[in-house]
Amino acid sequence: MEHKHYHSQEEKKKQLNRIAKASGHLQRVKTMIENDEDCAEVLIQLSAVESALHNLGKVIINEHLTHCIVHAIEDGDTESVEEFQAAIQKFL
């Protein structure tokens, strides 16, 4: 049984903004490497990319738990719950 996703436009916009921020950081890393900038500074910027992506993952987990998983449980869709548990394990 496949459950339907219930994501608000506002939440999607917030998530897409986070992706844009991470992409900007990653582009900055690329430019820094191309320009032979200080490795320590590159690592700091790369850390910002990782942090932005990890925080996006946490937002997506929370959004999915509070909406999709609630609906999946209400619909008796245990397969979706199990799939999400496996996805969280990979994320962690």
Side-chain angles (χ1 to χ4, degrees), residues 6-39:
Y6 301 91
H7 301 287
S8 72
Q9 287 301 106
E10 182 180 337
E11 282 303 315
K12 282 196 271 189
K13 183 177 180 181
K14 287 179 186 178
Q15 291 173 11
L16 291 172
N17 286 341
R18 285 177 178 267
I19 291 171
K21 184 176 181 179
S23 294
H25 286 303
L26 193 56
Q27 183 59 44
R28 177 72 180 120
V29 169
K30 180 179 180 281
T31 300
M32 292 172 81
I33 291 170
E34 290 171 344
N35 295 335
D36 293 319
E37 293 190 32
D38 181 70
C39 292

PDB file of all heavy atoms in Angstrom, residues 6-39:
ATOM      1  N   TYR A   6       1.724  14.440   2.186  1.00  0.00           N
ATOM      2  CA  TYR A   6       0.970  15.638   2.542  1.00  0.00           C
ATOM      3  C   TYR A   6       1.955  16.745   2.909  1.00  0.00           C
ATOM      4  O   TYR A   6       2.235  16.955   4.084  1.00  0.00           O
ATOM      5  CB  TYR A   6       0.046  15.365   3.728  1.00  0.00           C
ATOM      6  CG  TYR A   6      -0.948  14.256   3.487  1.00  0.00           C
ATOM      7  CD1 TYR A   6      -0.663  12.944   3.813  1.00  0.00           C
ATOM      8  CD2 TYR A   6      -2.185  14.543   2.917  1.00  0.00           C
ATOM      9  CE1 TYR A   6      -1.570  11.936   3.593  1.00  0.00           C
ATOM     10  CE2 TYR A   6      -3.104  13.537   2.690  1.00  0.00           C
ATOM     11  CZ  TYR A   6      -2.786  12.237   3.027  1.00  0.00           C
ATOM     12  OH  TYR A   6      -3.689  11.224   2.803  1.00  0.00           O
ATOM     13  N   HIS A   7       2.506  17.415   1.913  1.00  0.00           N
ATOM     14  CA  HIS A   7       3.466  18.477   2.166  1.00  0.00           C
ATOM     15  C   HIS A   7       2.880  19.811   1.742  1.00  0.00           C
ATOM     16  O   HIS A   7       2.402  19.952   0.620  1.00  0.00           O
ATOM     17  CB  HIS A   7       4.765  18.234   1.392  1.00  0.00           C
ATOM     18  CG  HIS A   7       5.431  16.942   1.746  1.00  0.00           C
ATOM     19  ND1 HIS A   7       6.073  16.747   2.942  1.00  0.00           N
ATOM     20  CD2 HIS A   7       5.530  15.778   1.071  1.00  0.00           C
ATOM     21  CE1 HIS A   7       6.565  15.522   2.984  1.00  0.00           C
ATOM     22  NE2 HIS A   7       6.235  14.909   1.856  1.00  0.00           N
ATOM     23  N   SER A   8       2.947  20.772   2.642  1.00  0.00           N
ATOM     24  CA  SER A   8       2.430  22.098   2.323  1.00  0.00           C
ATOM     25  C   SER A   8       3.405  22.828   1.403  1.00  0.00           C
ATOM     26  O   SER A   8       4.600  22.547   1.390  1.00  0.00           O
ATOM     27  CB  SER A   8       2.218  22.916   3.599  1.00  0.00           C
ATOM     28  OG  SER A   8       3.468  23.306   4.146  1.00  0.00           O
ATOM     29  N   GLN A   9       2.898  23.753   0.647  1.00  0.00           N
ATOM     30  CA  GLN A   9       3.734  24.567  -0.231  1.00  0.00           C
ATOM     31  C   GLN A   9       4.755  25.339   0.597  1.00  0.00           C
ATOM     32  O   GLN A   9       5.894  25.512   0.177  1.00  0.00           O
ATOM     33  CB  GLN A   9       2.876  25.520  -1.059  1.00  0.00           C
ATOM     34  CG  GLN A   9       2.087  24.842  -2.157  1.00  0.00           C
ATOM     35  CD  GLN A   9       2.991  24.112  -3.140  1.00  0.00           C
ATOM     36  OE1 GLN A   9       3.063  22.890  -3.137  1.00  0.00           O
ATOM     37  NE2 GLN A   9       3.699  24.839  -3.963  1.00  0.00           N
ATOM     38  N   GLU A  10       4.350  25.797   1.772  1.00  0.00           N
ATOM     39  CA  GLU A  10       5.248  26.555   2.649  1.00  0.00           C
ATOM     40  C   GLU A  10       6.438  25.703   3.082  1.00  0.00           C
ATOM     41  O   GLU A  10       7.584  26.154   3.056  1.00  0.00           O
ATOM     42  CB  GLU A  10       4.479  27.051   3.879  1.00  0.00           C
ATOM     43  CG  GLU A  10       5.310  27.878   4.827  1.00  0.00           C
ATOM     44  CD  GLU A  10       4.524  28.344   6.031  1.00  0.00           C
ATOM     45  OE1 GLU A  10       3.281  28.417   5.967  1.00  0.00           O
ATOM     46  OE2 GLU A  10       5.182  28.637   7.048  1.00  0.00           O
ATOM     47  N   GLU A  11       6.169  24.445   3.457  1.00  0.00           N
ATOM     48  CA  GLU A  11       7.252  23.548   3.872  1.00  0.00           C
ATOM     49  C   GLU A  11       8.169  23.230   2.700  1.00  0.00           C
ATOM     50  O   GLU A  11       9.389  23.188   2.861  1.00  0.00           O
ATOM     51  CB  GLU A  11       6.693  22.259   4.482  1.00  0.00           C
ATOM     52  CG  GLU A  11       6.212  22.415   5.896  1.00  0.00           C
ATOM     53  CD  GLU A  11       7.288  22.928   6.852  1.00  0.00           C
ATOM     54  OE1 GLU A  11       8.437  22.434   6.798  1.00  0.00           O
ATOM     55  OE2 GLU A  11       6.985  23.822   7.647  1.00  0.00           O
ATOM     56  N   LYS A  12       7.585  22.992   1.530  1.00  0.00           N
ATOM     57  CA  LYS A  12       8.405  22.710   0.353  1.00  0.00           C
ATOM     58  C   LYS A  12       9.318  23.894   0.048  1.00  0.00           C
ATOM     59  O   LYS A  12      10.495  23.721  -0.264  1.00  0.00           O
ATOM     60  CB  LYS A  12       7.540  22.377  -0.861  1.00  0.00           C
ATOM     61  CG  LYS A  12       7.004  20.963  -0.827  1.00  0.00           C
ATOM     62  CD  LYS A  12       6.493  20.546  -2.186  1.00  0.00           C
ATOM     63  CE  LYS A  12       5.044  20.914  -2.321  1.00  0.00           C
ATOM     64  NZ  LYS A  12       4.427  20.353  -3.540  1.00  0.00           N
ATOM     65  N   LYS A  13       8.767  25.102   0.153  1.00  0.00           N
ATOM     66  CA  LYS A  13       9.552  26.302  -0.121  1.00  0.00           C
ATOM     67  C   LYS A  13      10.715  26.412   0.867  1.00  0.00           C
ATOM     68  O   LYS A  13      11.837  26.717   0.475  1.00  0.00           O
ATOM     69  CB  LYS A  13       8.668  27.545  -0.046  1.00  0.00           C
ATOM     70  CG  LYS A  13       9.390  28.815  -0.399  1.00  0.00           C
ATOM     71  CD  LYS A  13       8.479  30.018  -0.397  1.00  0.00           C
ATOM     72  CE  LYS A  13       9.272  31.257  -0.772  1.00  0.00           C
ATOM     73  NZ  LYS A  13       8.457  32.451  -0.763  1.00  0.00           N
ATOM     74  N   LYS A  14      10.458  26.135   2.139  1.00  0.00           N
ATOM     75  CA  LYS A  14      11.517  26.175   3.148  1.00  0.00           C
ATOM     76  C   LYS A  14      12.601  25.153   2.832  1.00  0.00           C
ATOM     77  O   LYS A  14      13.796  25.434   2.949  1.00  0.00           O
ATOM     78  CB  LYS A  14      10.943  25.909   4.542  1.00  0.00           C
ATOM     79  CG  LYS A  14      10.139  27.044   5.117  1.00  0.00           C
ATOM     80  CD  LYS A  14       9.605  26.658   6.497  1.00  0.00           C
ATOM     81  CE  LYS A  14       8.675  27.706   7.062  1.00  0.00           C
ATOM     82  NZ  LYS A  14       8.121  27.298   8.367  1.00  0.00           N
ATOM     83  N   GLN A  15      12.196  23.959   2.438  1.00  0.00           N
ATOM     84  CA  GLN A  15      13.161  22.907   2.114  1.00  0.00           C
ATOM     85  C   GLN A  15      13.972  23.276   0.879  1.00  0.00           C
ATOM     86  O   GLN A  15      15.192  23.078   0.837  1.00  0.00           O
ATOM     87  CB  GLN A  15      12.446  21.569   1.933  1.00  0.00           C
ATOM     88  CG  GLN A  15      11.877  21.034   3.232  1.00  0.00           C
ATOM     89  CD  GLN A  15      11.020  19.806   3.038  1.00  0.00           C
ATOM     90  OE1 GLN A  15      10.986  19.200   1.977  1.00  0.00           O
ATOM     91  NE2 GLN A  15      10.315  19.412   4.091  1.00  0.00           N
ATOM     92  N   LEU A  16      13.315  23.815  -0.126  1.00  0.00           N
ATOM     93  CA  LEU A  16      14.019  24.220  -1.342  1.00  0.00           C
ATOM     94  C   LEU A  16      14.994  25.360  -1.058  1.00  0.00           C
ATOM     95  O   LEU A  16      16.090  25.413  -1.635  1.00  0.00           O
ATOM     96  CB  LEU A  16      13.026  24.603  -2.438  1.00  0.00           C
ATOM     97  CG  LEU A  16      12.223  23.429  -2.995  1.00  0.00           C
ATOM     98  CD1 LEU A  16      11.123  23.928  -3.931  1.00  0.00           C
ATOM     99  CD2 LEU A  16      13.132  22.436  -3.699  1.00  0.00           C
ATOM    100  N   ASN A  17      14.627  26.258  -0.157  1.00  0.00           N
ATOM    101  CA  ASN A  17      15.533  27.334   0.244  1.00  0.00           C
ATOM    102  C   ASN A  17      16.772  26.766   0.929  1.00  0.00           C
ATOM    103  O   ASN A  17      17.889  27.252   0.727  1.00  0.00           O
ATOM    104  CB  ASN A  17      14.832  28.339   1.153  1.00  0.00           C
ATOM    105  CG  ASN A  17      13.872  29.234   0.401  1.00  0.00           C
ATOM    106  OD1 ASN A  17      13.950  29.370  -0.819  1.00  0.00           O
ATOM    107  ND2 ASN A  17      12.952  29.841   1.122  1.00  0.00           N
ATOM    108  N   ARG A  18      16.580  25.738   1.751  1.00  0.00           N
ATOM    109  CA  ARG A  18      17.719  25.094   2.419  1.00  0.00           C
ATOM    110  C   ARG A  18      18.638  24.427   1.384  1.00  0.00           C
ATOM    111  O   ARG A  18      19.860  24.467   1.510  1.00  0.00           O
ATOM    112  CB  ARG A  18      17.241  24.068   3.438  1.00  0.00           C
ATOM    113  CG  ARG A  18      16.685  24.695   4.700  1.00  0.00           C
ATOM    114  CD  ARG A  18      16.145  23.612   5.652  1.00  0.00           C
ATOM    115  NE  ARG A  18      15.653  24.172   6.868  1.00  0.00           N
ATOM    116  CZ  ARG A  18      16.378  24.323   7.986  1.00  0.00           C
ATOM    117  NH1 ARG A  18      17.633  23.936   8.009  1.00  0.00           N
ATOM    118  NH2 ARG A  18      15.842  24.841   9.064  1.00  0.00           N
ATOM    119  N   ILE A  19      18.047  23.823   0.362  1.00  0.00           N
ATOM    120  CA  ILE A  19      18.850  23.210  -0.702  1.00  0.00           C
ATOM    121  C   ILE A  19      19.638  24.291  -1.442  1.00  0.00           C
ATOM    122  O   ILE A  19      20.825  24.113  -1.749  1.00  0.00           O
ATOM    123  CB  ILE A  19      17.966  22.408  -1.677  1.00  0.00           C
ATOM    124  CG1 ILE A  19      17.424  21.164  -0.978  1.00  0.00           C
ATOM    125  CG2 ILE A  19      18.744  22.026  -2.936  1.00  0.00           C
ATOM    126  CD1 ILE A  19      16.377  20.429  -1.772  1.00  0.00           C
ATOM    127  N   ALA A  20      18.996  25.410  -1.707  1.00  0.00           N
ATOM    128  CA  ALA A  20      19.685  26.507  -2.396  1.00  0.00           C
ATOM    129  C   ALA A  20      20.861  27.005  -1.559  1.00  0.00           C
ATOM    130  O   ALA A  20      21.943  27.293  -2.099  1.00  0.00           O
ATOM    131  CB  ALA A  20      18.703  27.643  -2.678  1.00  0.00           C
ATOM    132  N   LYS A  21      20.669  27.084  -0.255  1.00  0.00           N
ATOM    133  CA  LYS A  21      21.743  27.525   0.637  1.00  0.00           C
ATOM    134  C   LYS A  21      22.900  26.536   0.600  1.00  0.00           C
ATOM    135  O   LYS A  21      24.069  26.926   0.479  1.00  0.00           O
ATOM    136  CB  LYS A  21      21.200  27.665   2.061  1.00  0.00           C
ATOM    137  CG  LYS A  21      22.186  28.206   3.042  1.00  0.00           C
ATOM    138  CD  LYS A  21      21.548  28.402   4.407  1.00  0.00           C
ATOM    139  CE  LYS A  21      22.552  28.986   5.388  1.00  0.00           C
ATOM    140  NZ  LYS A  21      21.959  29.197   6.708  1.00  0.00           N
ATOM    141  N   ALA A  22      22.597  25.250   0.685  1.00  0.00           N
ATOM    142  CA  ALA A  22      23.642  24.223   0.625  1.00  0.00           C
ATOM    143  C   ALA A  22      24.351  24.261  -0.725  1.00  0.00           C
ATOM    144  O   ALA A  22      25.580  24.136  -0.788  1.00  0.00           O
ATOM    145  CB  ALA A  22      23.043  22.842   0.885  1.00  0.00           C
ATOM    146  N   SER A  23      23.597  24.450  -1.797  1.00  0.00           N
ATOM    147  CA  SER A  23      24.194  24.534  -3.135  1.00  0.00           C
ATOM    148  C   SER A  23      25.130  25.736  -3.240  1.00  0.00           C
ATOM    149  O   SER A  23      26.199  25.639  -3.851  1.00  0.00           O
ATOM    150  CB  SER A  23      23.109  24.650  -4.204  1.00  0.00           C
ATOM    151  OG  SER A  23      22.339  23.481  -4.257  1.00  0.00           O
ATOM    152  N   GLY A  24      24.731  26.833  -2.639  1.00  0.00           N
ATOM    153  CA  GLY A  24      25.581  28.028  -2.630  1.00  0.00           C
ATOM    154  C   GLY A  24      26.887  27.769  -1.901  1.00  0.00           C
ATOM    155  O   GLY A  24      27.968  28.162  -2.371  1.00  0.00           O
ATOM    156  N   HIS A  25      26.802  27.107  -0.743  1.00  0.00           N
ATOM    157  CA  HIS A  25      28.014  26.755   0.004  1.00  0.00           C
ATOM    158  C   HIS A  25      28.902  25.831  -0.835  1.00  0.00           C
ATOM    159  O   HIS A  25      30.119  25.998  -0.889  1.00  0.00           O
ATOM    160  CB  HIS A  25      27.673  26.056   1.323  1.00  0.00           C
ATOM    161  CG  HIS A  25      27.133  26.951   2.380  1.00  0.00           C
ATOM    162  ND1 HIS A  25      27.798  28.058   2.841  1.00  0.00           N
ATOM    163  CD2 HIS A  25      25.994  26.881   3.101  1.00  0.00           C
ATOM    164  CE1 HIS A  25      27.093  28.640   3.783  1.00  0.00           C
ATOM    165  NE2 HIS A  25      25.982  27.944   3.961  1.00  0.00           N
ATOM    166  N   LEU A  26      28.295  24.847  -1.487  1.00  0.00           N
ATOM    167  CA  LEU A  26      29.058  23.893  -2.285  1.00  0.00           C
ATOM    168  C   LEU A  26      29.717  24.580  -3.482  1.00  0.00           C
ATOM    169  O   LEU A  26      30.871  24.287  -3.822  1.00  0.00           O
ATOM    170  CB  LEU A  26      28.162  22.735  -2.735  1.00  0.00           C
ATOM    171  CG  LEU A  26      28.870  21.520  -3.299  1.00  0.00           C
ATOM    172  CD1 LEU A  26      29.899  20.961  -2.326  1.00  0.00           C
ATOM    173  CD2 LEU A  26      27.848  20.456  -3.654  1.00  0.00           C
ATOM    174  N   GLN A  27      29.007  25.490  -4.097  1.00  0.00           N
ATOM    175  CA  GLN A  27      29.592  26.249  -5.214  1.00  0.00           C
ATOM    176  C   GLN A  27      30.775  27.068  -4.721  1.00  0.00           C
ATOM    177  O   GLN A  27      31.798  27.176  -5.403  1.00  0.00           O
ATOM    178  CB  GLN A  27      28.537  27.163  -5.863  1.00  0.00           C
ATOM    179  CG  GLN A  27      29.046  27.920  -7.072  1.00  0.00           C
ATOM    180  CD  GLN A  27      29.540  27.009  -8.178  1.00  0.00           C
ATOM    181  OE1 GLN A  27      28.931  26.015  -8.521  1.00  0.00           O
ATOM    182  NE2 GLN A  27      30.696  27.342  -8.743  1.00  0.00           N
ATOM    183  N   ARG A  28      30.647  27.610  -3.507  1.00  0.00           N
ATOM    184  CA  ARG A  28      31.752  28.373  -2.912  1.00  0.00           C
ATOM    185  C   ARG A  28      32.965  27.464  -2.696  1.00  0.00           C
ATOM    186  O   ARG A  28      34.106  27.873  -2.954  1.00  0.00           O
ATOM    187  CB  ARG A  28      31.306  29.014  -1.593  1.00  0.00           C
ATOM    188  CG  ARG A  28      32.392  29.758  -0.874  1.00  0.00           C
ATOM    189  CD  ARG A  28      32.768  31.067  -1.573  1.00  0.00           C
ATOM    190  NE  ARG A  28      33.816  31.721  -0.822  1.00  0.00           N
ATOM    191  CZ  ARG A  28      35.029  32.007  -1.305  1.00  0.00           C
ATOM    192  NH1 ARG A  28      35.312  31.748  -2.561  1.00  0.00           N
ATOM    193  NH2 ARG A  28      35.937  32.576  -0.560  1.00  0.00           N
ATOM    194  N   VAL A  29      32.743  26.224  -2.250  1.00  0.00           N
ATOM    195  CA  VAL A  29      33.837  25.268  -2.072  1.00  0.00           C
ATOM    196  C   VAL A  29      34.533  25.027  -3.408  1.00  0.00           C
ATOM    197  O   VAL A  29      35.769  25.046  -3.500  1.00  0.00           O
ATOM    198  CB  VAL A  29      33.336  23.932  -1.471  1.00  0.00           C
ATOM    199  CG1 VAL A  29      34.415  22.862  -1.533  1.00  0.00           C
ATOM    200  CG2 VAL A  29      32.862  24.130  -0.041  1.00  0.00           C
ATOM    201  N   LYS A  30      33.756  24.823  -4.444  1.00  0.00           N
ATOM    202  CA  LYS A  30      34.313  24.588  -5.783  1.00  0.00           C
ATOM    203  C   LYS A  30      35.180  25.763  -6.213  1.00  0.00           C
ATOM    204  O   LYS A  30      36.314  25.581  -6.685  1.00  0.00           O
ATOM    205  CB  LYS A  30      33.173  24.364  -6.780  1.00  0.00           C
ATOM    206  CG  LYS A  30      33.623  24.100  -8.203  1.00  0.00           C
ATOM    207  CD  LYS A  30      32.406  23.867  -9.096  1.00  0.00           C
ATOM    208  CE  LYS A  30      32.791  23.591 -10.524  1.00  0.00           C
ATOM    209  NZ  LYS A  30      33.142  24.787 -11.269  1.00  0.00           N
ATOM    210  N   THR A  31      34.674  26.964  -6.039  1.00  0.00           N
ATOM    211  CA  THR A  31      35.424  28.171  -6.416  1.00  0.00           C
ATOM    212  C   THR A  31      36.706  28.291  -5.596  1.00  0.00           C
ATOM    213  O   THR A  31      37.764  28.642  -6.137  1.00  0.00           O
ATOM    214  CB  THR A  31      34.541  29.423  -6.212  1.00  0.00           C
ATOM    215  OG1 THR A  31      33.380  29.285  -7.037  1.00  0.00           O
ATOM    216  CG2 THR A  31      35.275  30.697  -6.584  1.00  0.00           C
ATOM    217  N   MET A  32      36.608  28.006  -4.308  1.00  0.00           N
ATOM    218  CA  MET A  32      37.783  28.090  -3.441  1.00  0.00           C
ATOM    219  C   MET A  32      38.864  27.109  -3.896  1.00  0.00           C
ATOM    220  O   MET A  32      40.048  27.457  -3.915  1.00  0.00           O
ATOM    221  CB  MET A  32      37.389  27.814  -1.989  1.00  0.00           C
ATOM    222  CG  MET A  32      36.513  28.893  -1.380  1.00  0.00           C
ATOM    223  SD  MET A  32      35.875  28.423   0.248  1.00  0.00           S
ATOM    224  CE  MET A  32      37.322  28.815   1.264  1.00  0.00           C
ATOM    225  N   ILE A  33      38.462  25.899  -4.260  1.00  0.00           N
ATOM    226  CA  ILE A  33      39.428  24.900  -4.732  1.00  0.00           C
ATOM    227  C   ILE A  33      40.040  25.355  -6.056  1.00  0.00           C
ATOM    228  O   ILE A  33      41.256  25.273  -6.249  1.00  0.00           O
ATOM    229  CB  ILE A  33      38.763  23.512  -4.843  1.00  0.00           C
ATOM    230  CG1 ILE A  33      38.427  22.982  -3.441  1.00  0.00           C
ATOM    231  CG2 ILE A  33      39.665  22.534  -5.607  1.00  0.00           C
ATOM    232  CD1 ILE A  33      37.554  21.739  -3.426  1.00  0.00           C
ATOM    233  N   GLU A  34      39.196  25.840  -6.958  1.00  0.00           N
ATOM    234  CA  GLU A  34      39.697  26.324  -8.252  1.00  0.00           C
ATOM    235  C   GLU A  34      40.705  27.458  -8.067  1.00  0.00           C
ATOM    236  O   GLU A  34      41.666  27.572  -8.829  1.00  0.00           O
ATOM    237  CB  GLU A  34      38.529  26.803  -9.120  1.00  0.00           C
ATOM    238  CG  GLU A  34      37.648  25.699  -9.617  1.00  0.00           C
ATOM    239  CD  GLU A  34      36.370  26.194 -10.284  1.00  0.00           C
ATOM    240  OE1 GLU A  34      35.994  27.382 -10.124  1.00  0.00           O
ATOM    241  OE2 GLU A  34      35.727  25.367 -10.962  1.00  0.00           O
ATOM    242  N   ASN A  35      40.503  28.288  -7.040  1.00  0.00           N
ATOM    243  CA  ASN A  35      41.364  29.448  -6.798  1.00  0.00           C
ATOM    244  C   ASN A  35      42.515  29.153  -5.847  1.00  0.00           C
ATOM    245  O   ASN A  35      43.196  30.079  -5.396  1.00  0.00           O
ATOM    246  CB  ASN A  35      40.532  30.617  -6.261  1.00  0.00           C
ATOM    247  CG  ASN A  35      39.536  31.128  -7.272  1.00  0.00           C
ATOM    248  OD1 ASN A  35      39.716  30.983  -8.474  1.00  0.00           O
ATOM    249  ND2 ASN A  35      38.466  31.735  -6.789  1.00  0.00           N
ATOM    250  N   ASP A  36      42.712  27.866  -5.519  1.00  0.00           N
ATOM    251  CA  ASP A  36      43.793  27.466  -4.617  1.00  0.00           C
ATOM    252  C   ASP A  36      43.748  28.221  -3.290  1.00  0.00           C
ATOM    253  O   ASP A  36      44.785  28.617  -2.753  1.00  0.00           O
ATOM    254  CB  ASP A  36      45.176  27.659  -5.272  1.00  0.00           C
ATOM    255  CG  ASP A  36      45.393  26.718  -6.437  1.00  0.00           C
ATOM    256  OD1 ASP A  36      45.004  25.532  -6.313  1.00  0.00           O
ATOM    257  OD2 ASP A  36      45.946  27.156  -7.457  1.00  0.00           O
ATOM    258  N   GLU A  37      42.557  28.396  -2.747  1.00  0.00           N
ATOM    259  CA  GLU A  37      42.427  29.088  -1.463  1.00  0.00           C
ATOM    260  C   GLU A  37      42.875  28.175  -0.331  1.00  0.00           C
ATOM    261  O   GLU A  37      43.046  26.968  -0.502  1.00  0.00           O
ATOM    262  CB  GLU A  37      40.990  29.571  -1.267  1.00  0.00           C
ATOM    263  CG  GLU A  37      40.617  30.662  -2.264  1.00  0.00           C
ATOM    264  CD  GLU A  37      39.295  31.335  -1.969  1.00  0.00           C
ATOM    265  OE1 GLU A  37      38.917  31.450  -0.788  1.00  0.00           O
ATOM    266  OE2 GLU A  37      38.646  31.750  -2.945  1.00  0.00           O
ATOM    267  N   ASP A  38      43.064  28.769   0.810  1.00  0.00           N
ATOM    268  CA  ASP A  38      43.561  28.067   1.995  1.00  0.00           C
ATOM    269  C   ASP A  38      42.710  26.841   2.308  1.00  0.00           C
ATOM    270  O   ASP A  38      41.478  26.915   2.370  1.00  0.00           O
ATOM    271  CB  ASP A  38      43.550  29.031   3.181  1.00  0.00           C
ATOM    272  CG  ASP A  38      44.084  28.386   4.431  1.00  0.00           C
ATOM    273  OD1 ASP A  38      45.294  28.125   4.479  1.00  0.00           O
ATOM    274  OD2 ASP A  38      43.281  28.137   5.364  1.00  0.00           O
ATOM    275  N   CYS A  39      43.394  25.701   2.500  1.00  0.00           N
ATOM    276  CA  CYS A  39      42.696  24.437   2.750  1.00  0.00           C
ATOM    277  C   CYS A  39      41.839  24.486   4.011  1.00  0.00           C
ATOM    278  O   CYS A  39      40.757  23.906   4.045  1.00  0.00           O
ATOM    279  CB  CYS A  39      43.702  23.294   2.850  1.00  0.00           C
ATOM    280  SG  CYS A  39      44.526  22.944   1.275  1.00  0.00           S
TER     281      CYS A  39
END
